[in-house]
Amino acid sequence: MESQAMQHHNSLQKAIDIAMWMNFKYRTQKRSYAVMQDKKSKQYYVVQQQGKKKTLNPLPTDYSGMSYQQIQDIRSELDPLHHWEEIMGMVSSVHGELLRFILSHNIPLERIIRYELAARGHDENHNWVGYDNAKDIWLK
């Protein structure tokens, strides 16, 4: 993944996805990545951010506004990013009736994920904090 950061990308969205993942992956090391466009070649680069620069494209804070078109683009990518491949694989391997049940009855997937993380005993940065502390962190 880190080698993809230094390569050029034709797609702004793919460059953003790489930068978002790298910001998450290296959050404990206080590294910050951003997207820069080479005006001449029209290519996008993921770069380690050194202060605030006007040439860097702002990253979204999260994916809550993701469109169906963005999901389709991720699903049709010939060389998908590992984290998207894993997430899409989790969903695509679930039986359709279960997916319909989840939507039909508003199953709170975020709460289920939070419960699972609390049961593992780690904090947001994957540091062992014990089950009681993890419960306080994740089950807010």
Side-chain angles (χ1 to χ4, degrees):
M1 178 72 68
E2 196 152 4
S3 63
Q4 287 182 318
M6 304 311 159
Q7 296 175 2
H8 68 275
H9 304 281
N10 294 323
S11 163
L12 173 60
Q13 186 60 52
K14 190 160 188 174
I16 288 171
D17 290 343
I18 291 168
M20 296 273 289
W21 176 256
M22 292 183 73
N23 283 335
F24 178 78
K25 181 177 178 181
Y26 296 110
R27 67 194 178 281
T28 61
Q29 298 173 16
K30 308 290 188 223
R31 291 192 205 172
S32 180
Y33 292 87
V35 175
M36 185 176 77
Q37 184 180 25
D38 179 354
K39 300 291 184 193
K40 195 183 286 185
S41 69
K42 305 290 188 205
Q43 300 291 311
Y44 298 96
Y45 293 86
V46 177
V47 296
Q48 190 167 354
Q49 195 165 341
Q50 307 291 331
K52 300 286 183 192
K53 294 184 179 179
K54 290 183 179 179
T55 58
L56 302 179
N57 293 332
L59 297 177
T61 55
D62 60 35
Y63 284 99
S64 60
M66 181 178 268
S67 69
Y68 288 119
Q69 183 60 52
Q70 286 173 297
I71 295 168
Q72 181 179 347
D73 292 346
I74 291 166
R75 293 297 303 262
S76 60
E77 178 71 38
L78 293 176
D79 184 24
L81 300 174
H82 178 72
H83 65 283
W84 283 130
E85 191 171 30
E86 290 286 323
I87 292 168
M88 297 301 175
M90 284 189 311
V91 175
S92 66
S93 64
V94 173
H95 193 285
E97 275 299 281
L98 290 175
L99 294 174
R100 286 184 279 280
F101 179 80
I102 290 167
L103 291 177
S104 174
H105 294 290
N106 296 314
I107 304 297
L109 293 179
E110 181 178 340
R111 287 185 185 166
I112 293 169
I113 292 167
R114 287 180 171 279
Y115 182 88
E116 178 62 30
L117 290 170
R120 295 179 183 194
H122 293 88
D123 70 5
E124 303 92 331
N125 295 318
H126 198 64
N127 296 312
W128 173 257
V129 294
Y131 300 111
D132 290 336
N133 288 335
K135 184 177 178 182
D136 290 341
I137 292 167
W138 292 108
L139 304 183
K140 302 173 191 175

